Amino acid sequence: MTQTPPMWLALLFPFLPADRVRRSASPAEPPFALVHRVGNAQRLAAVCPDASSLGLGPGLPLADARARVPSLASFAHDPVADARLLRALSRLGHDFTPSLAIEPPDALLLEISGSAHLFGGPDRLAARLVARLERQGMLVRSGFGPTPDAALSLVRFPQAGGDIGKLPVAVLCLGEAAERGLRRAGLKRVEDLLRQPASTIAARFGKGALLALGRLTGEMPRPLRLRPFPARLHFEERLAEPLLCAEGARLVLQRLLARACIRLARRGRGARSLKAELFRTDGAVQALIVESGRPSRDPAALLRLFDERIETLADPLDPGFGYDRLRLLILRADPFDELQPGLAAGADGEAQALDDVIDRLAVRFGAHRLLRLAPADSHLPERSERRQIAQGSRPAPWRLRPENSTDPPDRPLFMFDPPEPIEVLAEVPDGPPHRFRWRRTQHRVTLVEGPERIAPEWWRLKSGALSGGRTRDYWRVEDADGRRFWLFRAGMYEEGKALPAWYLHGLFA
C-alpha cells in the first residue's frame, strides 16, 4: 500500500496584532501602530496594513513614525493577547485536520495529507479555511510545503513561487553574521547551498546551518508540539424509518438536546455553541449552528434557538426522501455556575430573560448586529462609551449620580452626536448662559449649575472645536418651562479674540 506523502499547510497572519485591535469592540481608525518600550524609547512593535503601505514598520521609533505620519494612532503592544488570539484561531483549524501546531508569534501549521481529500483537495481545503478566518476579521496568507519549515518559509517569502530552491538563505534563521558570510560566499539562495557538500557547509557555517537546511528539505525531522484535538460531545440517533417531515426531526433533536444537557450537567458545563446535522437518505447533509450568550443546560431554551435558526433559513428544510440520521455536536461548552433560584431571583432572573431574547435575536439577525453600550475610560462625554457585541457580554453598571444621593444626575441620558450649535446670551462673556436659541426656539434660563470644566485629551489633539482640542465649560440649566439641558462653551474667553462657541450636548429626562 502506497503511503501518502506528507503535506503541510502554513497559515500566516502578517498583521495579527493589528487585526486584534480591529476586531475589538472599539476598533481603531487607520493608520495605527502598536508600540512597546525598548530602553528609554517607544518603538513600533507592529503596524496595520495602512501604516505599512506608508513605509512604517516594526523597530521604527514612535517619534520618527509620527514625524512621517502625523495622524498615526498608537496602542500598547500586548503579546499575551496576541498569543491568546492565535490559540483561538487554531480551534478553527481543528475542523480540517487533527494535526495542528502553533508557530508563534503569527502562524499555524496543519498537516493535511490525510484529510485534504475530504474537502475536495488541498486547494479547496485551504480556501475554505482562509474564508472562515477572513470572516473572523483576519488577514491571512496560505502556502503548502512537504515539510513544516518549507510550508512556513514559502508563505513568508511568496516571491519564491513555491520553489524551495528559490528561497533566500534568510529562511534558515542563522543570524545576521552567518547570513552575511553566506552572501559574501555567493550563496544567496537555498539551491546554492544544496549544491555544496554537507561537510563544507558544516565546516564553514556550523552544524546549525546543516540542521536548518535538513529540516527545510525533510532530511531531518523537526519536533513539533501538536495541539491536542478537542474532544467534542456528540449525540446521534439512527432511525429505522426515514423521517419525511421537519416536525419529526425536531422531536428527535429535542431528545438529543435532553441527553446532551444531562451529560453537560455531569461535567459541570453548559453549552455555548451547538451544531445539528440532519442526514438525508440521498447522502445530503443539512447543518444548523446556534450560539448562546451564556452557558446553558436548558433543552427548551436551546430548542427555541434551533427553531429560530430554521425560521431564518432562506431555503426551508427539505427532507427529500427522509432523514435517516441526526447528530448533535457541542462545539463549545463553558463552566456552568449553579444558582439557587430562591436566592438568585429578581435581577438575575431578569438578566436571564434578557439573555434569552438576545440569543434569539442573534440567531435571527446575526450576533454582530446586536450591540450594547459599555462605559469607556475617557472623561470626554462623546468618548466615555463604547459599543460591544451584546451576546455573551454582561451589561456594565452606569453611575449617573453618586451612590446614595438624591441629587440630579451629572450626565443626561440623551446626548447629541455631534453636539448641536446654539446661540447664547450671557451677562458676562465667560459667565453662565442667561438665554439661548436652539432650533429656532428661544429658551430663558431660570436655574443654572456649573461650570464643570473638562480639559481636552492632549494626546489625541486634532483641529476643530469639538475634537478634544479646546477646554469645555459645562452647565446644567433649566428653562422657564421646566426643561433641563446640558450646555457647554468650547474654548476660553480671551479679550480681543472671537467669542467661544456654545453647544447643546444633551437633554435631561
Side-chain angles (χ1 to χ4, degrees):
M1 183 176 181
T2 304
Q3 185 178 4
T4 304
M7 175 179 290
W8 289 84
L9 169 64
L11 300 173
L12 177 67
F13 304 94
F15 299 100
L16 186 138
D19 291 339
R20 176 179 56 81
V21 174
R22 290 192 300 106
R23 283 161 43 100
S24 62
S26 301
E29 296 183 2
F32 65 89
L34 293 95
V35 301
H36 61 162
R37 182 172 294 277
V38 180
N40 293 326
Q42 293 276 1
R43 293 184 177 271
L44 305 190
V47 297
C48 71
D50 296 84
S52 178
S53 65
L54 296 174
L56 306 183
L60 187 69
L62 179 60
D64 293 350
R66 282 191 168 150
R68 299 182 189 179
V69 185
S71 61
L72 181 71
S74 63
F75 302 89
H77 181 44
D78 190 350
V80 176
D82 294 341
R84 190 183 306 117
L85 174 59
L86 192 59
R87 289 195 302 271
L89 295 174
S90 71
R91 300 190 189 104
L92 300 179
H94 272 309
D95 290 341
F96 298 86
T97 176
S99 302
L100 182 147
I102 294 178
E103 189 70 14
D106 56 2
L108 299 175
L109 289 169
L110 297 85
E111 207 284 316
I112 60 171
S113 57
S115 59
H117 68 282
L118 300 175
F119 300 91
D123 293 331
R124 290 190 177 183
L125 183 150
R128 287 183 59 177
L129 182 51
V130 168
R132 182 178 294 188
L133 292 167
E134 289 176 345
R135 288 195 295 269
Q136 298 293 323
M138 304 300 298
L139 295 175
V140 57
R141 296 207 305 259
S142 62
F144 301 99
T147 67
D149 287 48
L152 196 57
S153 300
L154 290 172
V155 76
R156 290 191 187 278
F157 295 90
Q159 60 269 24
D163 186 353
I164 297 178
K166 303 298 182 183
L167 289 170
V169 294
V171 302
L172 302 179
C173 301
L174 301 178
E176 185 176 351
E179 291 176 13
R180 186 164 53 247
L182 288 169
R183 287 193 294 268
R184 287 177 179 175
L187 307 174
K188 299 180 180 180
R189 296 181 177 178
V190 171
E191 61 185 4
D192 300 329
L193 280 174
L194 293 176
R195 297 191 186 103
Q196 305 299 319
S199 57
T200 302
I201 298 176
R204 297 189 60 181
F205 305 104
K207 293 183 179 180
L210 198 61
L211 179 62
L213 192 62
R215 289 178 174 176
L216 185 65
T217 59
E219 295 179 1
M220 295 184 181
R222 180 196 180 186
L224 284 176
R225 186 177 181 181
L226 299 179
R227 282 185 61 83
F229 185 78
R232 289 175 176 168
L233 289 175
H234 67 278
F235 306 87
E236 187 173 305
E237 187 166 328
R238 296 178 180 269
L239 305 170
E241 293 292 336
L243 295 173
L244 299 177
C245 63
E247 182 60 29
R250 182 180 183 275
L251 295 176
V252 176
L253 180 59
Q254 185 176 10
R255 292 199 298 267
L256 294 177
L257 286 170
R259 290 167 51 191
C261 291
I262 294 174
R263 183 75 64 83
L264 289 169
R266 293 174 182 173
R267 297 190 177 190
R269 307 182 76 83
R272 286 288 306 275
S273 179
L274 305 95
K275 180 180 181 180
E277 295 178 333
L278 295 83
F279 297 83
R280 297 196 325 191
T281 54
D282 59 359
V285 181
Q286 297 172 338
L288 304 170
I289 297 178
V290 299
E291 294 183 352
S292 173
R294 64 165 59 181
S296 175
R297 293 204 300 254
D298 184 354
L302 296 174
L303 184 62
R304 284 196 295 270
L305 296 182
F306 278 106
D307 290 339
E308 293 285 348
R309 173 63 67 201
I310 293 173
E311 291 181 7
T312 59
L313 293 177
D315 297 324
L317 289 179
D318 181 14
F321 292 104
Y323 300 116
D324 59 0
R325 181 161 59 105
L326 275 79
R327 182 166 58 190
L328 176 69
L329 296 92
I330 309 299
L331 303 181
R332 178 182 174 184
D334 291 349
F336 187 90
D337 296 329
E338 296 285 358
L339 294 175
Q340 297 185 26
L343 300 178
D348 189 79
E350 296 177 359
Q352 176 67 52
L354 178 60
D355 286 341
D356 291 343
V357 173
I358 291 176
D359 288 341
R360 296 177 65 180
L361 293 176
V363 169
R364 184 172 290 272
F365 302 109
H368 63 285
R369 296 185 178 181
L370 294 176
L371 305 176
R372 64 166 31 124
L373 296 178
D377 187 14
S378 177
H379 59 274
L380 288 183
E382 62 269 25
R383 293 180 182 147
S384 61
E385 62 186 26
R386 58 185 176 85
R387 294 177 177 88
Q388 64 183 15
I389 294 178
Q391 190 178 36
S393 64
R394 302 268 67 82
W398 292 85
R399 296 185 59 182
L400 298 179
R401 56 167 61 90
E403 291 187 41
N404 302 323
S405 174
T406 58
D407 295 336
D410 295 331
R411 298 288 186 268
L413 290 176
F414 180 83
M415 297 176 62
F416 294 101
D417 184 20
E420 298 194 358
I422 57 175
E423 300 175 10
V424 171
L425 176 64
E427 294 183 356
V428 293
D430 58 350
H434 182 66
R435 63 177 65 240
F436 65 94
R437 181 186 296 275
W438 173 54
R439 294 182 179 178
R440 302 181 181 179
T441 302
Q442 191 80 12
H443 298 268
R444 183 171 63 87
V445 176
T446 57
L447 296 174
V448 62
E449 182 179 1
E452 175 191 356
R453 179 158 294 177
I454 297 180
E457 293 180 339
W458 53 267
W459 58 92
R460 54 191 301 176
L461 295 181
K462 295 180 182 177
S463 60
L466 298 179
S467 60
R470 303 181 69 182
T471 300
R472 305 179 188 177
D473 285 340
Y474 278 85
W475 274 270
R476 291 186 295 177
V477 304
E478 184 176 317
D479 67 1
D481 296 326
R483 291 172 292 188
R484 293 186 293 167
F485 306 88
W486 203 37
L487 316 179
F488 75 88
R489 181 183 63 218
M492 308 290 291
Y493 172 76
E494 298 181 41
E495 190 172 357
K497 295 186 178 181
L499 294 178
W502 283 82
Y503 298 87
L504 177 77
H505 205 161
L507 302 175
F508 291 94

